[in-house]
Amino acid sequence: MIPGLFEKKNRIKQFCALLIASSLIVSCGSSKNVASKKNTSTKSVAKAENLRKLDSKFDGNVSRSINDVLKDAEKYIGTPYKFGGNTSSGFDCSGFTVKVFEENDFSLPRRSSDQAEAGKNIDIKDVKPGDLLFFATAGGSRVSHVGIVHDIGSDGEVRFIHASTSKGVMISSLNEKYWNKAYLHAQRVL
């Protein structure tokens, strides 16, 4: 065998393992234990200090088709997080959005970064239920997480349903410090 070839192959294997491990960590947020308790609560979350104002001015009604999308999303609350998952046994963030929209005869790309290019980019103040929200959970500006706007509180608070690594499918708020800081943009696909 050629001297040094073994070391090069070993370094390549280590590099590949590092890439795979880092993609698992960055994909759809950080890893934590998954809870399976269903929580459909839409209580307001008090906005912490020093957060961006990420409120919507939407106060109208949503169409029946959007209500159907949200009902389909809600039935998965409590489903565990599963990297690469797109079934009721476990979802990752983009697998969840693909499944919910697919059940309503609408096709989305599989990856959250590709979903971030679908539809029309909209300002946060114009979001309404059914729109998609995109996040950079590892910092920076690279899309690594997606959720569906669930409802808008009377004070403009934007709540969204998504597959989190910590609690599986759940409803969160842009008033939460973590999501407020990670928020990138919104897209309207319906």
Side-chain angles (χ1 to χ4, degrees), residues 54-183:
L54 298 177
D55 297 335
S56 173
K57 295 180 179 175
F58 178 79
D59 65 356
N61 295 320
V62 294
S63 69
R64 181 179 177 156
S65 61
I66 290 174
N67 272 325
D68 290 344
V69 167
L70 297 174
K71 282 181 190 171
D72 284 336
E74 288 171 357
K75 75 182 178 188
Y76 294 116
I77 289 177
T79 300
Y81 178 86
K82 181 180 179 186
F83 180 76
N86 62 354
T87 69
S88 59
S89 64
F91 291 107
D92 67 11
C93 63
S94 57
F96 173 67
T97 54
V98 165
K99 178 72 169 170
V100 168
F101 279 80
E102 190 176 80
E103 289 177 351
N104 289 276
D105 301 319
F106 188 84
S107 179
L108 284 175
R110 177 58 178 92
R111 296 177 346 143
S112 58
S113 58
D114 294 331
Q115 291 177 15
E117 303 296 321
K120 175 185 172 192
N121 188 287
I122 53 172
D123 191 282
I124 191 66
K125 70 180 180 346
D126 297 321
V127 299
K128 66 180 184 177
D131 291 337
L132 297 178
L133 301 180
F134 295 92
F135 302 88
T137 55
S141 60
R142 185 179 152 271
V143 171
S144 57
H145 191 70
V146 60
I148 304 167
V149 176
H150 181 268
D151 63 288
I152 310 298
S154 59
D155 60 351
E157 175 191 6
V158 178
R159 290 180 289 259
F160 60 100
I161 188 166
H162 61 117
S164 81
T165 56
S166 61
K167 296 181 181 171
V169 178
M170 63 181 291
I171 296 173
S172 297
S173 169
L174 284 182
N175 283 358
E176 295 172 47
K177 185 176 181 180
Y178 179 81
W179 296 113
N180 186 282
K181 292 191 179 295
Y183 173 78

